[in-house]
Amino acid sequence: MLSTKNKFAHGQAFKGRSLKTILMAGVAMPVLSLSALAQDDDKEQVEEIEVTGTRATIRSSIDVKRNSTSIVEALSSKDIGDIPALSIGEALETLTSAASHREQGGATEISIRGLGPYLGSTIINGREAANGSGDRSVNFSQFPSELFSKLAIYKSMEARLIEGGVSGQIQLDTLKPLEYGKRRIQADYKLNYNPDNFNIDEDLRSRDFGHRLTLSYVDQFELNGLGDVGISLGFQKNTSTNPEQEARTSSGFRDCRNVVSGDPDSDNFGVDSLGDRDQNCDSGGGDLVLEVDPETGVAPDAGTPFLFTSSQRHFRQNITDDDRKSVFAALQWRPDDRWDINVDFQYSDRNFSERRHDLTIDGNSILNVGETGEVVPLNVTSLGAPIGFTTYDGAEISAQYAERLEEYIGGGLSIAYQVNDQLNVSLDYSYTKTERRENIIQTRLRSNTDSDTGSEDVYTGVIVENDVHRFIFRDFDVTDPNSFIVGPRTREDLNQFRNNSIEGLRADFEYELGDTFITSVYGGVRFSELKYDALPRVRRETDGNPLAVGDSYAASAACIYNGFPESGFLSSVSDGPIITNVDADGNEIASGTGNGYVAFDPMCLATAILGRDPSIPDADDVFLDRDVMGTGNNPLQITDVEEKSMAAYLQANFQTNFGDIPARGNFGVRVVQTEVNSSGYRGSIVLDRDDDNIITGLGVDNSALVSITDTHKYTRFLPSANLVLDLRDDVLMRFGVFQAMSRPDPSDLGVGRSFSSSIDNDNGSTEVADVVAQVSGYGNPQLDPLMSLNFDIALEWYPNEDTILAGGIYHKRFNGGFKNVGQLETFNIDGQDLTAIVTTQALDDEKSEITGFEVTAAHSFSYLPGALSGLGVKLSYNYADSNFEFEDANFGAADIIRSDGSVVQRVGITAPANVPGLSKHVFAGQLYYNIGDFDFQAVYKYRSEYFQQYINTPGNLRYVAGTGVVEARASYNIRDNVRLSVEAVNLFDKPKIQSNPIPENFSEVNVYGPRIYVGLRAKF
């Protein structure tokens, strides 16, 4: 077996003076002082000092990187719970070129080298891990860092590694008890304090403080002639609050002509409806016609001024409760020196709940309704982002109770047998499964502006500035419960129902060849079966009608809060009040102006409106008739995917000398065959209409569903090679070249169809074409994997154990990119045939590239006098740039396939995004102080803007703005076995800001606030 030690650490230094000068010139200037110090490393060694804390973790990371054959970043701890972070995601972010996507204020998905999680892979104990998101990422926030012993990121691939890592592969390993080699009983308790949580009324918040308890036990035993056995057990209970403040739009946008449209005889409809609702964006008449006319070669609306408009805008205040349990277990048995048997098990259960309080304005597509009603003049950027406008439609107060239930189970059995001194064989079986359920109970009350006429409409101005929107109401008090007493409606939603499992079986061998050029050979085969099924939202809807207004009054009075639940709501991102109430002359009215609005207890209000306790529909209710559910559900969106993969690999490891330069490395090939089977339904669409023939709902005729299945197969060859040159004792040069593949996300492989509508805007449409806004393909089973040819070169300098200066350049060539393919399909809707463009994604033949470089530097100032000797620093930076193009499914350039097979071009009005998850700039900086029993670490993490796909509509562009986050942690060993710690995340309250379908079009801001933990750990 190839040793993990650097076999050439004491080899002959390179003797070429001129080449030596060239190699070192690029790194010498910034670190002349380090070079001088390194020369004196070993002159005097009086005593050996044990290194602990952050310095020990960084030293271990440097050691792993130096001795690896591939390009690797790693974190490891020799003791339980010593990885310096609250979650795996936050720990991985400190490694060079790793960056996270944040949810509820914590690190979740990890991108490598600025590339999204879709282009990477994650392995737990050598096995794939399932998740509940529908993609191939892993929600790292669900795994406690205390129960892992090693984290690594492989940036150059080897044939032996499981396929899927264009950007790299994340490997997580739990502790093996026999290798740990000692008994340990440990308890770790952390008290969680979130300052924003104390801005919530004490009678309403879920709890004052969070609690995080971790227990672990490791031991080894002799079995009286049956060998040695070791056990490891870990348990964590984590209860916390994750307060969140939001300003947001509906996720879908529409394009609309920015033109005056008051002429009833004109077809040139647009946003300035002058009070005529039939000539605005919501009617469909304002949509741009961007398909190229074959006769003229020009799209009718090419060059027409336009804007992007959402159907709704919201403010949302959340009161949260997060309850997680994790159990990790491992058993290692060595009957003798030849056998090594390992069984491991991981379990995580999360129950996350939110009480959401929304203020919503409708009719964002009915803009600037004439001079008499204008509150804010229409103001649109050159790229179509509205930053000021007036709408005239209803306002809503919504009270929601939402809960996400997620359960993860993983584990397996691994058996290794040393046949002889040269041959080792192993067999591994694994199974992992994630089940996710999301339930929502939502009740709304609509605005009441004229009790005599029943009018719900209110003039509202919207201003977007400083990454948040503000509402300006005309003579409408959102703090008065009597303003919201009509149109009561309750929705009981099974909002997410997703199941993902991966079963795998692999057999491997390692054969040692001795002191030859080829030192060893690895080989093996692997079979895996992934299953993913997901339902669309299953909804039971109950209108308040025939509830009388008096009933709404009673429900409102019984369930209203005594004031807005949270003080200082969104004040950290807004200058002045987010809501202003003005009179007809524009003068501010004190009542209704501020950062709050009327709010209700969600479950109380739902019970009052329903006259019963609310409940969540069953999964099978997606097939129930609309008369039973009160609204239409869409079983055409059901996703049921089975993916079977077979892989075989052969890898040779070598060591040699190129003249006086020692060299080591590996080369090999992996062959992967994949088969995808995707099942779903097709059927007719039916509409609900009221007595005036107004369309009020859209659903599927469940009595006439037809099952369909689509199959796709492909085979790919993945060669790889890695080379390390030991130019000097302390200087390495690395080369890597490999072919890699990233499979499409399981949720992108469905065969479903989804219909978006404008029914919720209550515009009184009677025509099918008015309410069916867009038809999208719910995946494409024929998607091929994204392939890339990858090149890496790196130069690394290791003056001493605590110091590294490394730089690397990488280049990736993609042999395809994503394009939108639209085809005309005819749907039977309410007895009428409607021809619509259905947009799906496919890979094209366009070549694209990504080039980047990364730098890592770390150093301990242990040579400084006295207390200053505890200082140290680690810095890492990654830059990536690409010409990859990802077009928006609705507004990007596309090929439209007509029913006769002809292809028509659609002109794009949005610039394409780059690779999903690509951030041009990723930086992590650590300053630490470690002396005696005290350890301190401050971390700054930054990633620039990136494109983050939606799970349900992956073709829609969504951008997350760049941001930098500061973390800090400190610990002190009160005794040898007792440690006190303090940790803080998002110390300076940086929000997450999102936009779509262009970077300057605001769509959401999330404010989480900082999180602080005070902990005590005891070990025995």
Side-chain angles (χ1 to χ4, degrees), residues 741-763:
M741 62 180 281
S742 286
R743 295 186 179 93
D745 291 333
S747 60
D748 291 344
L749 298 173
V751 293
R753 295 290 182 262
S754 65
F755 300 82
S756 64
S757 73
S758 58
I759 292 172
D760 279 344
N761 296 322
D762 294 337
N763 293 328

Side-chain angles (χ1 to χ4, degrees), residues 253 258 306-309 313 378-389 464 995-1002:
F253 280 77
N258 186 9
F306 69 92
L307 60 80
F308 296 106
T309 178
R313 288 180 181 262
L378 185 63
N379 189 2
V380 182
T381 70
S382 60
L383 296 178
I387 55 177
F389 60 87
V464 181
S995 58
N996 69 321
I998 58 175
E1000 68 178 50
N1001 189 44
F1002 168 82

Side-chain angles (χ1 to χ4, degrees), residues 37 859-872 929-931:
L37 292 165
H859 183 61
S860 169
F861 298 93
S862 56
Y863 49 84
L864 292 178
L868 295 177
S869 64
L871 286 171
Y929 183 76
N930 174 242
I931 193 163

Side-chain angles (χ1 to χ4, degrees), residues 324-623:
R324 309 184 191 202
K325 294 184 288 291
S326 301
V327 177
F328 282 41
L331 184 146
Q332 186 176 15
W333 178 34
R334 289 176 179 164
D336 54 41
D337 291 340
R338 291 182 178 272
W339 291 93
D340 189 3
I341 301 171
N342 288 271
V343 180
D344 62 273
F345 172 77
Q346 304 91 40
Y347 172 80
S348 175
D349 179 67
R350 183 189 186 193
N351 187 334
F352 176 78
S353 63
E354 285 183 316
R355 284 170 284 163
R356 303 170 176 171
H357 310 98
D358 291 7
L359 171 64
T360 300
I361 58 169
D362 285 331
N364 282 218
S365 303
I366 310 169
L367 305 181
N368 288 74
V369 289
E371 295 181 1
T372 58
E374 188 173 82
V375 179
V376 174
L378 185 63
N379 189 2
V380 182
T381 70
S382 60
L383 296 178
I387 55 177
F389 60 87
T390 299
T391 182
Y392 184 61
D393 206 312
E396 295 181 3
I397 287 294
S398 173
Q400 299 183 35
Y401 175 80
E403 61 179 3
R404 173 175 290 181
L405 313 174
E406 186 160 354
E407 183 181 74
Y408 172 88
I409 297 175
L413 168 66
S414 176
I415 303 173
Y417 178 65
Q418 190 75 40
V419 179
N420 52 43
D421 290 343
Q422 293 178 287
L423 179 63
N424 183 283
V425 295
S426 61
L427 186 69
D428 184 273
Y429 168 78
S430 62
Y431 179 79
T432 175
K433 182 177 182 178
T434 296
E435 295 182 348
R436 176 183 288 186
R437 307 291 182 262
E438 188 173 272
N439 307 318
I440 299 178
I441 304 294
Q442 175 194 19
T443 300
R444 69 118 195 245
L445 295 171
R446 287 183 62 81
S447 50
N448 174 43
T449 55
D450 191 329
S451 300
D452 294 330
T453 64
S455 173
E456 304 174 4
D457 298 333
V458 58
Y459 288 106
T460 308
V462 176
I463 297 175
V464 181
E465 60 185 5
N466 299 327
D467 299 313
V468 70
H469 54 218
R470 296 191 291 117
F471 297 166
I472 303 174
F473 292 98
R474 174 166 292 176
D475 199 18
F476 185 75
D477 185 354
V478 295
T479 65
D480 182 357
N482 294 327
S483 297
F484 301 95
I485 57 171
V486 301
R489 181 193 66 198
T490 297
R491 289 172 168 172
E492 301 159 286
D493 291 348
L494 176 58
N495 198 54
Q496 290 184 16
F497 183 95
R498 297 172 182 166
N499 304 294
N500 182 206
S501 66
I502 303 173
E503 189 172 18
L505 180 66
R506 64 181 297 171
D508 302 86
F509 72 86
E510 301 177 7
Y511 190 75
E512 297 286 338
L513 295 175
D515 191 16
T516 61
F517 172 70
I518 302 295
T519 58
S520 60
V521 176
Y522 299 163
V525 295
R526 178 178 179 271
F527 170 80
S528 69
E529 182 179 58
L530 178 149
K531 294 181 179 180
Y532 174 77
D533 64 85
L535 294 180
R537 179 196 62 217
V538 184
R539 169 170 290 172
R540 184 190 302 117
E541 184 171 304
T542 304
D543 261 339
N545 299 327
L547 283 179
V549 171
D551 295 314
S552 296
Y553 272 120
S556 172
C559 303
I560 191 171
Y561 291 143
N562 183 24
F564 192 67
E566 185 171 2
S567 61
F569 178 67
L570 288 174
S571 60
S572 64
V573 293
S574 62
D575 295 327
I578 59 173
I579 301 166
T580 304
N581 190 16
V582 299
D583 61 21
D585 296 324
N587 300 310
E588 182 178 308
I589 304 173
S591 181
T593 296
N595 283 42
Y597 42 88
V598 64
F600 301 91
D601 180 284
M603 297 302 285
C604 173
L605 190 61
T607 302
I609 298 297
L610 292 172
R612 59 172 174 81
D613 291 334
S615 62
I616 299 300
D618 293 329
D620 290 341
D621 290 349
V622 70
F623 297 107

Side-chain angles (χ1 to χ4, degrees), residues 49-50 181 286 596 609 812 916 942 950 1010:
I49 300 175
E50 181 182 4
I609 298 297
K812 299 177 183 293
Y942 172 82
Y950 292 102

